[in-house]
Amino acid sequence: MTRKWLSRTAVVAVIGVLAVGITACSSGGGGTTSPSAGSGTAVKGGTVTWLDVSGEFEATDPVGVYLGEEIAGFRRIVYRGLTAFPITKDKNPTPVADLATNTGTTKDKGKTWSYTLKSGLKWQDGTTITCADLQYGLSRGYDASLVAGGGGVGLTYFGDGGYNLIDPSDPSYDLSTEYTGPLTGSATAQAHFDKAASCSGNTITYHFQNAWPDFPSAAAALFSTDPYEKSFDKGTANLFTVNSDGPYKLSGTFDPQTGGTFVRNSEYKASTDTPATTRGAYPDTVKFEFVDSPETITERLIADSSSDQSAFTPLNIPSDKYSEISDAQSSRVVTSTSPYTRFLEINSNTLTDPTVRSALIEATNRADVIKAEGGSKWGTPTSTIVAGAIPGFQQNSLSKIPAAGDPAAAKKLLAGKTPSIRFAFSDTSTVIEQVAATLQQSWEAAGFKVTLVPISKSAKPGYYAQVGSDPKPFDVFFAGWAADWPSLFAVVPPILQSNPKGATFGVGFNYGFYSNKTVDGLIKQASASTDPATQQKLLNQADDTAAKDGAYVPLANQNNYFIYGSKLGGFLPDVASSYYPDLGAMYVSK
């Protein structure tokens, strides 16, 4: 199974006419369904078990959380935002108020947004949640030491991205370069930040450099604007801690190799959590159990014994297990759309020749990669990092390359050269090993010398931390992305916008450290525009320019193929959960 490398939050993702990368407009409406949407009538009690692979989670600290399904799951059980997406079958949902009294107010078409906290909101220790907590939570996203494991998605928008926060009394002050967060930032920088995200009583107001019309969707999708209790903060020591303001709290510790257990939080008041379509909070216990591989997880769910009867996994069924899915399991198998594209990031700091990068793209056999991953159940070929469901989506110049690749064209580009390629991937299953071997074969047929670099799931630092750093001993690495809300802004800037000068870890998802002034200029123009059609045109131009420059190797638009336990009710992959199973709807059937 691959996620947001295989992407992140980044992230939560939205779809419909919607999602895959990060930033978009959530129009919509349509009715919502009850949290039990899926099957049967929801009941309280029991234990729901989340099965996953050891070592995949990078953090439980909100600024370090990386995986899209992790963001979606934690949003339902422990972390509440100003807004949230409802649990619904609707393909284009509108965000609803969560901690805030409404979905935000703006008097200038989105350059400033204000939110007032509801009354009665508490942390798990009984302390009242305040506007200062909202301010502090966002400020932590500027600290590279806290966000390195997840790449700093918040800063992609709030810091050095298109919607930079600004001090209205001094708009020229650059918070993205001058402010390093509450733990190490200077008093001067902190004062500017406090004006950029200013508090008045229980109301916080965000001041942006450019209009952000769909900010309520971003607040629902990202953890960046979530509150954080200053007295709880111990910096990097908090990587796998949880301070809950949701219906559950962590019991004991959370281990990225084995998991953790969440029990009911007595300080949570359901009366503050309306509408009821935001969180079902049906089970008494939510258990995260991590094991060695997706194959092991699928075998357990097929067997459907004991506690696994109320278990699920956000992982897709591995293709080598398809033949084991029989009619007996058909009622527990779900195929759904996905907001994810899968691609390979290219390390532009080691593969500096655009012609060599283009040859690599020409040589890539996308058809055989998809076949190895499971065929049409898994995905379809694409030419871009943008998912087909995103408003304004269009294929780029790479669409002319056959799905099986063109080794002859690649050889011609190489003109006798035999470049060495080090390909890194997270070694979590036999399927991904087959994918790596497939890529190696197609590249070597064109003249490349390929070294496979599998990164163990128990590696420290983990996969994302290794491939996101600079410098790194890899030339190409497996990746993917899903939009945190439906827009090209949620894809193109976080992956293709140049990292800040001196950065040692990729901002957003530019882990390949790709840099192109023309691409940056097009993104900047799109950010400054208020016309959606113009924005889409400019961002598509940016993607096409980067594609022709060899910024990435496109692979596929992914589908989802899930199996779950026979006593698990409310199984619903929806927009709010990036089309992973929505934990907020689940219950244990009687």
Side-chain angles (χ1 to χ4, degrees):
M1 148 73 183
T2 55
R3 43 249 260 198
K4 244 174 173 171
W5 62 270
L6 291 201
S7 160
R8 175 192 200 171
T9 146
V11 64
V12 184
V14 185
I15 253 193
V17 187
L18 27 173
V20 65
I22 298 186
T23 180
C25 65
S26 138
S27 63
T32 58
T33 61
S34 71
S36 59
S39 62
T41 301
V43 292
K44 296 276 188 179
T47 297
V48 166
T49 301
W50 173 317
L51 295 173
D52 216 322
V53 175
S54 298
E56 286 293 287
F57 280 34
E58 294 288 345
T60 56
D61 184 327
V63 297
V65 169
Y66 189 76
L67 299 177
E69 71 267 34
E70 186 181 354
I71 295 172
F74 284 169
R75 173 63 85 219
R76 297 306 192 203
I77 64 173
V78 291
Y79 296 137
R80 296 177 63 182
L82 292 168
T83 57
F85 283 109
I87 303 165
T88 177
K89 293 178 180 178
D90 182 7
K91 302 299 183 184
N92 200 11
T94 301
V96 297
D98 192 357
L99 293 174
T101 55
N102 55 37
T103 55
T105 58
T106 180
K107 298 179 181 179
D108 51 14
K109 298 182 179 181
K111 290 196 72 171
T112 59
W113 282 94
S114 295
Y115 291 85
T116 300
L117 287 169
K118 295 173 181 175
S119 59
L121 300 170
K122 304 284 186 182
W123 292 107
Q124 65 182 43
D125 64 1
T127 304
T128 297
I129 297 172
T130 66
C131 182
D133 294 334
L134 292 170
Q135 204 176 42
Y136 191 79
L138 178 56
S139 72
R140 297 178 79 243
Y142 285 77
D143 187 330
S145 71
L146 301 179
V147 303
V153 163
L155 281 183
T156 305
Y157 308 104
F158 297 93
D160 194 42
Y163 304 116
N164 301 358
L165 276 172
I166 60 169
D167 175 355
S169 68
D170 187 2
S172 64
Y173 188 87
D174 188 356
L175 283 165
S176 69
T177 58
E178 298 296 332
Y179 185 49
T180 58
L183 303 179
T184 60
S186 68
T188 297
Q190 186 66 51
H192 283 289
F193 174 83
D194 291 346
K195 292 179 182 178
S198 59
C199 283
S200 176
N202 282 329
T203 298
I204 190 167
T205 300
Y206 303 96
H207 303 268
F208 296 112
Q209 180 179 21
N210 296 304
W212 197 344
D214 59 346
F215 178 65
S217 293
L222 302 172
F223 285 172
S224 302
T225 56
D226 285 12
Y228 198 93
E229 193 173 12
K230 184 176 182 179
S231 62
F232 184 78
D233 198 359
K234 295 180 176 61
T236 56
N238 275 17
L239 188 63
F240 284 102
T241 59
V242 174
N243 186 26
S244 176
D245 57 352
Y248 300 89
K249 63 181 180 180
L250 180 63
S251 176
T253 60
F254 192 100
D255 188 318
Q257 298 303 316
T258 59
T261 300
F262 294 84
V263 298
R264 293 200 181 276
N265 173 16
S266 62
E267 295 298 330
Y268 164 80
K269 298 297 183 288
S271 60
T272 69
D273 202 349
T274 55
T277 50
T278 307
R279 290 172 185 83
Y282 298 116
D284 289 332
T285 304
V286 177
K287 182 180 179 181
F288 288 68
E289 183 178 345
F290 300 155
V291 296
D292 63 333
S293 71
E295 285 82 3
T296 298
I297 292 169
T298 301
E299 289 167 1
R300 286 177 52 173
L301 290 173
I302 288 174
D304 193 40
S305 63
S306 189
S307 62
D308 289 344
Q309 292 182 316
S310 59
F312 77 99
T313 180
L315 306 179
N316 282 286
I317 299 169
S319 59
D320 55 0
K321 294 295 178 183
Y322 285 1
S323 62
E324 298 181 29
I325 305 297
S326 67
D327 290 342
Q329 287 90 38
S330 60
S331 64
R332 302 189 286 114
V333 173
V334 172
T335 302
S336 76
T337 187
S338 164
Y340 283 94
T341 52
R342 302 303 173 184
F343 53 95
L344 309 177
E345 287 212 52
I346 296 175
N347 185 349
S348 297
N349 288 336
T350 57
L351 290 186
T352 57
D353 187 341
T355 302
V356 171
R357 299 198 298 257
S358 294
L360 191 74
I361 297 167
E362 290 275 1
T364 300
N365 190 330
R366 291 170 288 154
D368 278 359
V369 167
I370 292 170
K371 183 179 179 180
E373 288 278 14
S376 59
K377 283 188 175 71
W378 182 81
T380 55
T382 188
S383 67
T384 175
I385 52 175
V386 181
I390 289 288
F393 163 83
Q394 59 182 236
Q395 296 285 1
N396 59 33
S397 297
L398 301 183
S399 61
K400 69 181 187 298
I401 302 173
D406 191 339
K411 280 187 176 181
K412 186 175 180 180
L413 286 170
L414 289 177
K417 298 176 183 176
T418 57
S420 295
I421 298 293
R422 297 163 296 178
F423 174 55
F425 60 95
S426 182
D427 193 12
T428 58
S429 71
T430 56
V431 172
I432 195 63
E433 291 171 353
Q434 292 168 9
V435 169
T438 295
L439 289 167
Q440 181 179 28
Q441 182 178 16
S442 67
W443 293 338
E444 289 183 341
F448 289 95
K449 295 180 179 180
V450 182
T451 300
L452 300 182
V453 188
I455 297 177
S456 169
K457 58 180 175 288
S458 61
K460 294 184 183 301
Y463 178 81
Y464 294 106
Q466 289 194 43
V467 300
S469 64
D470 184 66
K472 51 179 166 279
F474 320 121
D475 304 300
V476 187
F477 50 96
F478 206 89
W481 193 253
D484 292 308
W485 66 98
S487 165
L488 288 168
F489 272 114
V491 186
V492 176
I495 299 174
L496 299 178
Q497 183 170 267
S498 297
N499 286 312
K501 185 178 180 179
T504 58
F505 198 95
V507 172
F509 203 54
N510 187 358
Y511 286 5
F513 277 71
Y514 177 71
S515 182
N516 184 309
K517 291 182 179 179
T518 300
V519 172
D520 290 343
L522 289 165
I523 292 172
K524 186 175 181 179
Q525 289 179 57
S527 300
S529 174
T530 57
D531 175 53
T534 300
Q535 291 177 329
Q536 290 175 359
K537 180 180 178 180
L538 291 165
L539 291 173
N540 276 316
Q541 287 178 5
D543 175 52
D544 191 58
T545 300
K548 287 187 287 190
D549 191 33
Y552 58 83
V553 181
L555 293 176
N557 268 307
Q558 192 182 342
N559 298 319
N560 282 330
Y561 187 41
F562 299 121
I563 183 171
Y564 59 96
S566 61
K567 291 186 178 180
L568 185 74
F571 188 90
L572 178 66
D574 63 1
V575 168
S577 62
S578 303
Y579 280 99
Y580 288 113
D582 194 328
L583 187 57
M586 293 181 194
Y587 61 93
V588 181
S589 60
K590 301 300 183 183

